[in-house]
Amino acid sequence: MKLFSCLVALLLFLLQAVPGKGLPKDTLRCVGYHGFCSHSKSCPAPFAAFGTCSRHQKTCCIDTTANFHTCQDEGGHCVPPEIKCLQEQVGLCPYREWKCCTEV
């Protein structure tokens, strides 16, 4: 019986650790960039604020020491999805589904 209880506890723990459909899209996006959600509007060093989490209730903090390249850092600018880029650039944009362009 004790073994069964331990297995059930382990199963519940694993189910909580897996990101699922229940998380808001902005939170999933933040976690996808290896970020975390902060209650404050500013992020501790070496993290930088990059969008929102929890349905715009928290700030997404991204580690600036690990492959963090914003669109502007790479010489581009962020545009909404309805605008077509002549040349796309690698870089992160703070708005969901926006893309980084060097030329529009």
Side-chain angles (χ1 to χ4, degrees), residues 79-85 97-99:
V79 296
E82 59 269 7
I83 295 177
K84 294 191 179 212
C85 293
E97 297 177 9
W98 282 39
K99 49 194 167 183

Side-chain angles (χ1 to χ4, degrees), residues 4-92:
F4 178 74
S5 297
C6 289
L7 288 175
V8 169
L10 179 64
L11 178 66
L12 289 174
F13 173 76
L14 291 175
L15 288 175
Q16 290 176 354
V18 175
K21 294 180 181 178
L23 292 175
K25 288 182 181 179
D26 57 352
T27 302
L28 288 173
R29 182 172 181 272
C30 183
V31 172
Y33 286 125
H34 305 289
F36 70 93
C37 298
S38 172
H39 287 287
S40 72
K41 294 291 180 188
S42 61
C43 300
F47 295 90
F50 190 76
T52 60
C53 291
S54 301
R55 294 181 179 93
H56 307 287
Q57 300 295 316
K58 298 179 184 175
T59 302
C60 176
C61 297
I62 303 287
D63 187 358
T64 58
T65 62
N67 290 338
F68 179 83
H69 300 285
T70 65
C71 185
Q72 289 78 12
D73 290 344
E74 299 297 320
H77 51 277
C78 294
V79 296
E82 59 269 7
I83 295 177
K84 294 191 179 212
C85 293
L86 294 176
Q87 185 175 1
E88 285 196 38
Q89 175 73 27
V90 175
L92 302 176

